[in-house]
Amino acid sequence: MKKNLVLGVSGGIAVYKALEIVSLLVKKNINVDVIMTESATEFVTPLSFQSLSQNMVTCDMFSEPKAWEIQHISLATKADVLLVAPATANIIGKVANGIADDMLSTTIMATKAKVIFAPAMNTNMYENPIVQGNIKKLKSFGYEFIDPIEGRMACGTTGAGKFEDPKVIVDRVLMELHEKKDLVGKNVLVTAGPTIAPIDPVRYITNRSTGKMGYAIAKEARDRGANVTLVTGPTSLEAPKNINVIKISTNEEMKNEVLKLFDSSDIIVKSAAVADFKPKAYSTQKIKKGDGGLSFDLIRDNDILMELGNRKEKQILVGFAAESENLKANAMTKLHKKKLDYIVANDITASDTGFASEDNRVIILSKEGNEIYLDKMSKEKIASNLFDIILEKR
Ligand code: CTP
Protein backbone atom coordinates (compact mmCIF):
# COMPACT_ATOMS: atom_id res chain seq x y z
CA MET A 1 0.00 0.00 0.00
CA LYS A 2 1.22 3.51 -0.85
CA LYS A 3 2.57 5.56 2.03
CA ASN A 4 1.24 9.07 2.55
CA LEU A 5 3.34 12.12 3.10
CA VAL A 6 1.73 15.45 3.86
CA LEU A 7 4.07 18.26 2.87
CA GLY A 8 3.50 21.60 4.55
CA VAL A 9 5.09 24.43 2.59
CA SER A 10 5.53 27.76 4.37
CA GLY A 11 6.64 30.95 2.70
CA GLY A 12 10.28 31.67 1.98
CA ILE A 13 12.63 31.79 -0.97
CA ALA A 14 13.37 28.05 -0.52
CA VAL A 15 9.79 27.14 -1.55
CA TYR A 16 10.94 26.25 -5.07
CA LYS A 17 13.23 23.61 -3.59
CA ALA A 18 10.20 21.87 -2.09
CA LEU A 19 9.12 21.07 -5.66
CA GLU A 20 12.12 18.74 -5.95
CA ILE A 21 11.07 17.04 -2.71
CA VAL A 22 7.64 16.29 -4.20
CA SER A 23 9.14 15.05 -7.45
CA LEU A 24 11.64 12.74 -5.72
CA LEU A 25 9.01 11.29 -3.38
CA VAL A 26 6.51 10.65 -6.18
CA LYS A 27 9.25 8.77 -8.04
CA LYS A 28 9.61 6.59 -4.93
CA ASN A 29 5.90 5.78 -5.15
CA ILE A 30 4.88 7.93 -2.15
CA ASN A 31 1.54 9.74 -2.24
CA VAL A 32 2.16 13.42 -1.52
CA ASP A 33 -0.53 15.88 -0.39
CA VAL A 34 0.65 19.47 -0.23
CA ILE A 35 -0.61 22.18 2.09
CA MET A 36 0.67 25.67 1.30
CA THR A 37 0.48 28.70 3.56
CA GLU A 38 -0.75 31.85 1.94
CA SER A 39 2.73 33.36 1.85
CA ALA A 40 4.17 30.23 0.22
CA THR A 41 1.82 30.78 -2.72
CA GLU A 42 3.50 34.15 -3.30
CA PHE A 43 6.74 32.33 -4.20
CA VAL A 44 5.46 29.36 -6.23
CA THR A 45 1.95 28.71 -7.49
CA PRO A 46 -0.09 25.79 -6.12
CA LEU A 47 -0.37 24.57 -9.71
CA SER A 48 3.33 23.59 -9.72
CA PHE A 49 2.87 21.44 -6.62
CA GLN A 50 -0.40 20.07 -7.98
CA SER A 51 1.22 19.04 -11.27
CA LEU A 52 4.11 17.25 -9.57
CA SER A 53 2.08 15.58 -6.82
CA GLN A 54 -0.92 14.77 -9.04
CA ASN A 55 -3.08 15.80 -6.07
CA MET A 56 -5.11 18.91 -5.31
CA VAL A 57 -3.12 21.37 -3.22
CA THR A 58 -4.71 22.75 -0.07
CA CYS A 59 -4.12 26.44 0.60
CA ASP A 60 -5.91 28.87 2.88
CA MET A 61 -8.61 26.91 4.72
CA PHE A 62 -11.13 29.76 4.70
CA SER A 63 -11.12 29.91 0.94
CA GLU A 64 -12.65 26.43 0.89
CA PRO A 65 -15.49 26.74 3.39
CA LYS A 66 -17.18 23.53 2.32
CA ALA A 67 -14.14 21.37 2.59
CA TRP A 68 -11.77 22.74 5.18
CA GLU A 69 -13.24 21.18 8.28
CA ILE A 70 -13.01 17.76 6.77
CA GLN A 71 -9.81 18.49 4.94
CA HIS A 72 -7.55 19.48 7.84
CA ILE A 73 -8.67 16.50 9.88
CA SER A 74 -8.51 14.06 6.99
CA LEU A 75 -4.98 15.08 5.98
CA ALA A 76 -3.93 14.96 9.63
CA THR A 77 -5.23 11.39 9.86
CA LYS A 78 -4.04 10.31 6.42
CA ALA A 79 -0.43 11.42 7.01
CA ASP A 80 2.12 8.73 7.78
CA VAL A 81 4.61 11.57 8.10
CA LEU A 82 4.03 15.32 8.03
CA LEU A 83 7.02 17.22 6.67
CA VAL A 84 7.17 20.99 6.92
CA ALA A 85 9.67 22.15 4.30
CA PRO A 86 10.67 24.89 4.13
CA ALA A 87 9.66 25.74 7.69
CA THR A 88 9.75 29.45 8.48
CA ALA A 89 10.29 31.06 11.88
CA ASN A 90 6.58 31.88 11.74
CA ILE A 91 5.22 28.31 11.43
CA ILE A 92 7.74 27.04 14.00
CA GLY A 93 6.67 29.82 16.37
CA LYS A 94 2.98 29.15 15.84
CA VAL A 95 3.19 25.42 16.52
CA ALA A 96 5.51 25.91 19.51
CA ASN A 97 2.96 28.25 21.04
CA GLY A 98 -0.18 26.29 20.30
CA ILE A 99 -1.50 28.56 17.56
CA ALA A 100 -3.62 26.85 14.93
CA ASP A 101 -5.04 29.52 12.66
CA ASP A 102 -4.56 28.27 9.13
CA MET A 103 -4.68 24.96 7.29
CA LEU A 104 -1.04 24.02 7.92
CA SER A 105 -0.85 24.89 11.61
CA THR A 106 -4.28 23.27 12.17
CA THR A 107 -3.22 20.06 10.45
CA ILE A 108 0.04 19.90 12.43
CA MET A 109 -1.93 20.35 15.64
CA ALA A 110 -4.44 17.66 14.68
CA THR A 111 -2.05 14.94 13.54
CA LYS A 112 -0.64 12.04 15.51
CA ALA A 113 1.90 11.30 12.76
CA LYS A 114 5.58 12.12 13.07
CA VAL A 115 6.17 15.78 12.22
CA ILE A 116 9.53 16.81 10.77
CA PHE A 117 10.49 20.44 10.23
CA ALA A 118 13.16 21.45 7.71
CA PRO A 119 13.77 25.12 8.55
CA ALA A 120 15.06 27.72 6.10
CA MET A 121 15.50 31.34 7.06
CA ASN A 122 17.92 34.23 7.33
CA THR A 123 20.86 33.47 9.66
CA ASN A 124 20.00 36.16 12.20
CA MET A 125 16.43 34.92 12.36
CA TYR A 126 17.57 31.33 12.78
CA GLU A 127 19.99 32.28 15.55
CA ASN A 128 17.42 34.45 17.32
CA PRO A 129 16.94 33.04 20.84
CA ILE A 130 13.16 33.12 20.36
CA VAL A 131 13.38 30.82 17.31
CA GLN A 132 15.97 28.61 19.01
CA GLY A 133 13.76 28.45 22.11
CA ASN A 134 10.77 27.42 19.99
CA ILE A 135 12.82 24.70 18.26
CA LYS A 136 14.01 23.40 21.63
CA LYS A 137 10.47 23.34 22.94
CA LEU A 138 9.16 21.47 19.89
CA LYS A 139 12.02 18.96 20.11
CA SER A 140 11.09 18.30 23.74
CA PHE A 141 7.59 17.33 22.53
CA GLY A 142 9.03 14.86 20.00
CA TYR A 143 8.92 17.03 16.88
CA GLU A 144 11.95 16.41 14.70
CA PHE A 145 14.16 18.82 12.82
CA ILE A 146 16.36 18.50 9.77
CA ASP A 147 18.82 21.22 10.65
CA PRO A 148 19.52 23.86 8.04
CA ILE A 149 23.06 24.03 6.69
CA GLU A 150 25.58 26.84 6.48
CA GLY A 151 25.99 28.63 3.20
CA ARG A 152 25.31 31.73 1.19
CA MET A 153 21.76 32.89 1.78
CA ALA A 154 19.43 34.44 -0.78
CA CYS A 155 19.77 37.75 1.08
CA GLY A 156 23.52 37.74 0.38
CA THR A 157 24.80 36.89 3.88
CA THR A 158 26.60 33.67 4.77
CA GLY A 159 25.78 31.52 7.77
CA ALA A 160 23.39 28.92 9.18
CA GLY A 161 19.79 28.81 8.01
CA LYS A 162 20.14 27.51 4.46
CA PHE A 163 17.62 24.86 3.45
CA GLU A 164 19.12 21.37 3.49
CA ASP A 165 19.59 19.58 0.15
CA PRO A 166 16.17 18.18 -0.94
CA LYS A 167 17.79 14.76 -1.54
CA VAL A 168 18.93 14.63 2.09
CA ILE A 169 15.45 15.64 3.26
CA VAL A 170 13.84 12.95 1.08
CA ASP A 171 16.29 10.39 2.39
CA ARG A 172 15.23 11.24 5.96
CA VAL A 173 11.53 10.99 5.07
CA LEU A 174 11.98 7.65 3.33
CA MET A 175 13.71 6.34 6.42
CA GLU A 176 10.64 7.26 8.44
CA LEU A 177 8.24 5.76 5.89
CA HIS A 178 10.05 2.42 5.54
CA GLU A 179 7.57 -0.29 6.44
CA LYS A 180 10.10 -2.90 7.55
CA LYS A 181 11.82 -2.20 10.85
CA ASP A 182 13.34 -5.64 11.20
CA LEU A 183 16.94 -4.57 11.88
CA VAL A 184 16.24 -2.58 15.03
CA GLY A 185 18.99 -3.22 17.59
CA LYS A 186 21.34 -4.77 15.01
CA ASN A 187 24.80 -3.43 14.20
CA VAL A 188 25.42 -3.53 10.47
CA LEU A 189 28.83 -2.85 8.96
CA VAL A 190 29.05 -2.05 5.26
CA THR A 191 32.10 -1.35 3.12
CA ALA A 192 31.81 0.52 -0.15
CA GLY A 193 33.77 2.18 -2.92
CA PRO A 194 37.29 1.49 -4.09
CA THR A 195 40.53 1.50 -2.14
CA ILE A 196 43.64 3.10 -3.57
CA ALA A 197 47.28 2.01 -3.51
CA PRO A 198 49.61 5.00 -3.86
CA ILE A 199 52.66 4.76 -6.15
CA ASP A 200 54.09 8.20 -5.42
CA PRO A 201 52.57 11.47 -4.10
CA VAL A 202 50.56 11.99 -7.30
CA ARG A 203 49.88 8.54 -8.74
CA TYR A 204 47.96 5.54 -7.50
CA ILE A 205 46.29 2.37 -8.68
CA THR A 206 42.70 1.60 -7.86
CA ASN A 207 39.64 -0.43 -8.83
CA ARG A 208 36.54 0.74 -10.66
CA SER A 209 33.76 1.46 -8.19
CA THR A 210 31.36 4.37 -7.61
CA GLY A 211 30.23 3.04 -4.23
CA LYS A 212 26.53 3.27 -5.23
CA MET A 213 25.73 -0.35 -4.36
CA GLY A 214 27.36 -0.17 -0.91
CA TYR A 215 25.75 3.18 -0.08
CA ALA A 216 22.33 1.77 -1.07
CA ILE A 217 22.92 -1.22 1.25
CA ALA A 218 23.95 1.04 4.14
CA LYS A 219 20.86 3.23 3.69
CA GLU A 220 18.53 0.23 3.47
CA ALA A 221 19.93 -1.17 6.73
CA ARG A 222 19.56 2.24 8.38
CA ASP A 223 15.98 2.60 7.15
CA ARG A 224 15.16 -0.83 8.59
CA GLY A 225 16.31 0.39 11.99
CA ALA A 226 19.92 -0.83 12.23
CA ASN A 227 22.89 1.05 13.67
CA VAL A 228 24.99 1.32 10.56
CA THR A 229 28.67 2.01 10.02
CA LEU A 230 29.83 2.59 6.47
CA VAL A 231 33.56 2.26 5.83
CA THR A 232 34.03 3.88 2.46
CA GLY A 233 36.82 4.47 0.00
CA PRO A 234 36.88 7.66 -2.07
CA THR A 235 33.57 8.26 -3.92
CA SER A 236 31.68 11.30 -5.14
CA LEU A 237 28.62 10.31 -3.09
CA GLU A 238 27.17 12.40 -0.29
CA ALA A 239 27.75 10.90 3.20
CA PRO A 240 24.29 9.61 4.24
CA LYS A 241 22.70 11.01 7.39
CA ASN A 242 22.21 8.86 10.50
CA ILE A 243 24.99 6.52 9.43
CA ASN A 244 28.43 6.44 11.02
CA VAL A 245 30.59 7.13 7.96
CA ILE A 246 34.30 6.35 8.15
CA LYS A 247 36.35 7.51 5.18
CA ILE A 248 39.48 5.59 4.28
CA SER A 249 41.65 5.34 1.21
CA THR A 250 43.97 2.32 1.37
CA ASN A 251 43.38 -1.41 1.82
CA GLU A 252 45.27 -1.24 5.16
CA GLU A 253 43.07 1.59 6.46
CA MET A 254 39.91 -0.27 5.49
CA LYS A 255 41.19 -3.43 7.15
CA ASN A 256 41.99 -1.59 10.40
CA GLU A 257 38.57 0.07 10.61
CA VAL A 258 36.69 -3.11 9.76
CA LEU A 259 38.61 -5.18 12.29
CA LYS A 260 37.89 -2.64 15.04
CA LEU A 261 34.16 -3.00 14.40
CA PHE A 262 33.99 -6.69 13.55
CA ASP A 263 33.31 -8.13 17.02
CA SER A 264 30.40 -5.79 17.70
CA SER A 265 28.80 -6.28 14.27
CA ASP A 266 25.84 -8.58 13.61
CA ILE A 267 25.86 -8.33 9.83
CA ILE A 268 28.81 -7.36 7.64
CA VAL A 269 28.34 -6.62 3.95
CA LYS A 270 31.60 -6.13 2.05
CA SER A 271 30.69 -4.50 -1.21
CA ALA A 272 33.95 -2.53 -1.49
CA ALA A 273 36.18 -3.03 -4.50
CA VAL A 274 39.36 -3.58 -2.51
CA ALA A 275 42.69 -3.26 -4.34
CA ASP A 276 44.44 -6.65 -4.25
CA PHE A 277 47.87 -5.31 -5.14
CA LYS A 278 50.06 -2.42 -4.07
CA PRO A 279 53.45 -1.19 -5.28
CA LYS A 280 56.28 -3.03 -3.55
CA ALA A 281 57.84 0.32 -2.68
CA TYR A 282 56.17 3.69 -2.35
CA SER A 283 58.20 6.56 -3.75
CA THR A 284 58.07 9.57 -1.44
CA GLN A 285 59.14 11.78 -4.34
CA LYS A 286 57.24 12.09 -7.58
CA ILE A 287 58.73 9.63 -10.07
CA LYS A 288 60.17 11.64 -12.95
CA LYS A 289 59.49 10.37 -16.42
CA GLY A 290 62.35 9.47 -18.72
CA ASP A 291 62.21 8.60 -22.40
CA GLY A 292 61.29 4.98 -21.80
CA GLY A 293 58.41 3.28 -20.01
CA LEU A 294 58.08 2.62 -16.32
CA SER A 295 57.84 -0.68 -14.59
CA PHE A 296 57.56 -1.48 -10.93
CA ASP A 297 56.70 -4.50 -8.83
CA LEU A 298 53.27 -5.00 -7.33
CA ILE A 299 52.81 -7.16 -4.26
CA ARG A 300 49.66 -8.76 -2.82
CA ASP A 301 47.75 -6.73 -0.27
CA ASN A 302 45.38 -7.99 2.47
CA ASP A 303 42.32 -10.01 1.56
CA ILE A 304 40.15 -8.35 4.20
CA LEU A 305 37.11 -10.54 3.67
CA MET A 306 39.17 -13.71 3.94
CA GLU A 307 40.46 -12.51 7.32
CA LEU A 308 36.91 -11.77 8.48
CA GLY A 309 35.77 -15.24 7.35
CA ASN A 310 38.55 -16.82 9.42
CA ARG A 311 37.57 -14.81 12.52
CA LYS A 312 33.83 -15.24 12.12
CA GLU A 313 31.81 -16.44 15.09
CA LYS A 314 28.19 -15.33 15.26
CA GLN A 315 28.29 -12.73 12.47
CA ILE A 316 26.46 -12.97 9.16
CA LEU A 317 29.09 -12.31 6.53
CA VAL A 318 28.15 -11.18 3.03
CA GLY A 319 30.64 -10.72 0.21
CA PHE A 320 30.39 -9.53 -3.35
CA ALA A 321 31.92 -11.19 -6.38
CA ALA A 322 32.79 -9.07 -9.39
CA GLU A 323 33.25 -11.50 -12.26
CA SER A 324 33.88 -11.21 -15.97
CA GLU A 325 33.42 -14.95 -16.68
CA ASN A 326 32.03 -18.11 -15.04
CA LEU A 327 29.92 -15.94 -12.75
CA LYS A 328 28.29 -18.58 -10.60
CA ALA A 329 31.22 -20.97 -10.35
CA ASN A 330 33.72 -18.24 -9.42
CA ALA A 331 31.33 -16.71 -6.91
CA MET A 332 30.69 -20.11 -5.33
CA THR A 333 34.43 -20.65 -4.92
CA LYS A 334 34.77 -17.28 -3.14
CA LEU A 335 31.74 -18.05 -0.93
CA HIS A 336 33.40 -21.20 0.41
CA LYS A 337 37.02 -19.98 0.42
CA LYS A 338 36.17 -16.85 2.41
CA LYS A 339 33.69 -18.72 4.68
CA LEU A 340 30.79 -16.43 3.78
CA ASP A 341 27.11 -16.85 4.53
CA TYR A 342 26.05 -15.16 1.29
CA ILE A 343 27.71 -13.84 -1.82
CA VAL A 344 26.24 -11.37 -4.28
CA ALA A 345 27.60 -12.20 -7.71
CA ASN A 346 27.54 -9.68 -10.50
CA ASP A 347 28.70 -9.88 -14.07
CA ILE A 348 30.85 -6.82 -14.60
CA THR A 349 30.81 -7.19 -18.38
CA ALA A 350 27.07 -6.38 -18.68
CA SER A 351 26.81 -3.00 -20.41
CA ASP A 352 23.45 -1.96 -18.93
CA THR A 353 24.16 -2.66 -15.25
CA GLY A 354 26.99 -2.68 -12.72
CA PHE A 355 29.71 -0.02 -12.62
CA ALA A 356 28.39 3.54 -12.35
CA SER A 357 24.89 2.38 -13.34
CA GLU A 358 21.81 2.95 -11.19
CA ASP A 359 20.90 -0.71 -11.72
CA ASN A 360 22.38 -4.10 -11.13
CA ARG A 361 21.60 -7.70 -12.05
CA VAL A 362 22.88 -10.27 -9.54
CA ILE A 363 22.69 -13.81 -8.25
CA ILE A 364 22.67 -14.19 -4.47
CA LEU A 365 24.17 -17.51 -3.38
CA SER A 366 23.97 -18.85 0.15
CA LYS A 367 26.27 -21.29 1.90
CA GLU A 368 23.31 -23.67 2.13
CA GLY A 369 23.23 -23.79 -1.66
CA ASN A 370 20.29 -21.47 -2.36
CA GLU A 371 20.45 -19.38 -5.51
CA ILE A 372 18.30 -16.32 -6.01
CA TYR A 373 18.38 -14.52 -9.34
CA LEU A 374 17.58 -10.82 -9.20
CA ASP A 375 17.07 -9.51 -12.71
CA LYS A 376 17.91 -5.93 -13.65
CA MET A 377 16.63 -3.62 -10.90
CA SER A 378 17.74 -0.52 -9.00
CA LYS A 379 20.56 -0.88 -6.53
CA GLU A 380 18.08 0.16 -3.80
CA LYS A 381 15.84 -2.80 -4.71
CA ILE A 382 18.83 -5.16 -4.72
CA ALA A 383 19.68 -3.87 -1.23
CA SER A 384 16.12 -4.45 -0.05
CA ASN A 385 16.06 -7.99 -1.48
CA LEU A 386 19.43 -8.75 0.07
CA PHE A 387 18.17 -7.99 3.59
CA ASP A 388 14.93 -9.90 2.93
CA ILE A 389 17.09 -12.91 2.04
CA ILE A 390 19.44 -12.51 5.02
CA LEU A 391 16.47 -12.18 7.37
CA GLU A 392 14.84 -15.14 5.64
CA LYS A 393 11.85 -13.17 4.43
CA ARG A 394 12.10 -14.66 0.95
N1 CTP B 1 37.77 -8.36 -0.91
C1 CTP B 1 38.48 -8.01 0.22
N2 CTP B 1 39.83 -7.80 0.12
C2 CTP B 1 40.47 -7.91 -1.06
C3 CTP B 1 39.74 -8.27 -2.22
C4 CTP B 1 38.39 -8.48 -2.11
O1 CTP B 1 37.90 -7.90 1.29
N3 CTP B 1 41.78 -7.69 -1.13
C5 CTP B 1 36.33 -8.64 -0.80
C6 CTP B 1 35.44 -7.73 -1.62
O2 CTP B 1 34.98 -6.63 -0.85
C7 CTP B 1 34.32 -8.65 -2.05
C8 CTP B 1 34.95 -10.03 -2.10
O3 CTP B 1 36.14 -9.94 -1.31
O4 CTP B 1 33.29 -8.72 -1.07
C9 CTP B 1 35.31 -10.50 -3.48
O5 CTP B 1 36.01 -9.51 -4.17
P1 CTP B 1 36.43 -9.71 -5.69
O6 CTP B 1 37.19 -8.51 -6.13
O7 CTP B 1 35.25 -10.15 -6.50
O8 CTP B 1 37.36 -10.97 -5.66
P2 CTP B 1 38.81 -11.26 -5.14
O9 CTP B 1 38.68 -11.97 -3.84
O10 CTP B 1 39.65 -10.03 -5.14
O11 CTP B 1 39.30 -12.32 -6.22
P3 CTP B 1 39.69 -12.08 -7.76
O12 CTP B 1 40.24 -10.69 -7.85
O13 CTP B 1 40.68 -13.13 -8.02
O14 CTP B 1 38.41 -12.26 -8.54
Side-chain angles (χ1 to χ4, degrees):
M1 220 176 61
K2 264 193 174 185
K3 290 279 182 176
N4 296 303
L5 179 97
V6 173
L7 174 65
V9 183
S10 59
I13 188 67
V15 170
Y16 75 95
K17 293 186 182 169
L19 291 171
E20 191 185 348
I21 295 180
V22 178
S23 159
L24 290 168
L25 286 169
V26 168
K27 278 189 200 135
K28 295 281 177 192
N29 203 27
I30 306 291
N31 177 65
V32 183
D33 286 292
V34 178
I35 303 173
M36 297 179 80
T37 63
E38 205 179 326
S39 57
T41 63
E42 300 286 336
F43 290 90
V44 173
T45 62
L47 185 62
S48 305
F49 284 98
Q50 186 180 312
S51 311
L52 288 171
S53 69
Q54 301 284 298
N55 280 325
M56 290 302 290
V57 172
T58 311
C59 300
D60 183 351
M61 62 183 182
F62 297 108
S63 65
E64 295 166 89
K66 288 192 204 90
W68 77 266
E69 213 167 2
I70 305 150
Q71 187 76 345
H72 82 274
I73 298 298
S74 69
L75 285 181
T77 316
K78 185 178 176 188
D80 292 305
V81 170
L82 200 161
L83 170 71
V84 187
T88 56
N90 190 46
I91 189 72
I92 292 169
K94 276 193 199 178
V95 182
N97 292 285
I99 298 169
D101 65 349
D102 61 8
M103 183 57 94
L104 180 55
S105 51
T106 318
T107 309
I108 296 171
M109 214 58 81
T111 193
K112 285 199 183 301
K114 163 130 323 170
V115 179
I116 305 173
F117 291 92
M121 67 194 80
N122 159 276
T123 307
N124 290 347
M125 276 174 99
Y126 183 63
E127 288 173 352
N128 187 309
I130 301 173
V131 173
Q132 287 302 318
N134 286 335
I135 291 175
K136 206 169 156 203
K137 185 172 173 187
L138 287 174
K139 282 184 178 170
S140 76
F141 286 123
Y143 291 90
E144 292 203 11
F145 283 78
I146 299 173
D147 293 337
I149 50 177
E150 295 210 354
R152 192 179 177 282
M153 314 293 285
C155 54
T157 58
T158 302
K162 196 175 160 63
F163 194 54
E164 178 56 284
D165 181 345
K167 290 192 189 67
V168 175
I169 295 176
V170 166
D171 217 35
R172 175 72 190 81
V173 169
L174 290 176
M175 174 178 154
E176 208 57 54
L177 291 173
H178 203 298
E179 73 273 18
K180 293 176 189 156
K181 292 289 174 198
D182 43 13
L183 285 174
V184 174
K186 298 285 180 209
N187 295 324
V188 176
L189 172 61
V190 182
T191 70
T195 64
I196 63 169
I199 300 166
D200 70 14
V202 293
R203 303 180 178 97
Y204 59 79
I205 51 173
T206 191
N207 287 351
R208 286 181 68 186
S209 170
T210 59
K212 282 182 185 168
M213 189 66 245
Y215 276 56
I217 292 168
K219 286 186 193 177
E220 175 70 14
R222 172 201 65 188
D223 293 353
R224 290 169 94 132
N227 305 314
V228 184
T229 301
L230 174 64
V231 179
T232 174
T235 74
S236 60
L237 304 173
E238 189 91 23
K241 290 263 188 299
N242 298 306
I243 287 181
N244 174 27
V245 178
I246 300 174
K247 294 187 176 172
I248 55 85
S249 46
T250 64
N251 174 318
E252 191 72 17
E253 287 166 3
M254 178 170 278
K255 180 183 146 183
N256 291 341
E257 294 301 334
V258 165
L259 287 182
K260 267 190 246 165
L261 293 157
F262 186 67
D263 286 343
S264 59
S265 299
D266 299 295
I267 301 172
I268 298 115
V269 185
K270 276 214 90 255
S271 67
V274 185
D276 286 310
F277 303 99
K278 65 178 175 187
K280 190 171 178 189
Y282 170 73
S283 168
T284 53
Q285 301 300 329
K286 185 182 173 198
I287 301 168
K288 288 291 171 195
K289 65 173 176 293
D291 291 335
L294 172 70
S295 55
F296 54 90
D297 285 334
L298 291 171
I299 54 169
R300 273 292 306 273
D301 212 340
N302 310 296
D303 188 325
I304 307 171
L305 191 55
M306 184 92 97
E307 292 200 35
L308 300 185
N310 288 332
R311 280 173 188 237
K312 190 170 78 126
E313 289 169 1
K314 57 178 175 52
Q315 292 88 347
I316 295 177
L317 197 53
V318 185
F320 270 69
E323 306 298 342
S324 57
E325 58 183 348
N326 303 330
L327 179 63
K328 214 172 87 182
N330 284 343
M332 195 74 89
T333 307
K334 285 178 193 170
L335 174 83
H336 294 302
K337 208 165 127 196
K338 303 197 188 197
K339 303 194 178 85
L340 308 178
D341 297 284
Y342 300 92
I343 195 154
V344 183
N346 61 319
D347 176 357
I348 52 170
T349 61
S351 57
D352 60 338
T353 55
F355 292 132
S357 159
E358 297 306 319
D359 298 320
N360 217 346
R361 180 186 289 111
V362 301
I363 314 173
I364 301 182
L365 306 172
S366 77
K367 67 168 190 266
E368 290 83 16
N370 297 327
E371 294 171 15
I372 294 180
Y373 288 77
L374 300 179
D375 206 354
K376 186 177 168 185
M377 62 179 75
S378 69
K379 290 181 176 172
E380 285 79 16
K381 285 220 173 79
I382 301 262
S384 164
N385 274 285
L386 176 62
F387 284 108
D388 284 349
I389 292 166
I390 294 174
L391 297 167
E392 292 171 358
K393 300 223 156 122
R394 54 162 295 174

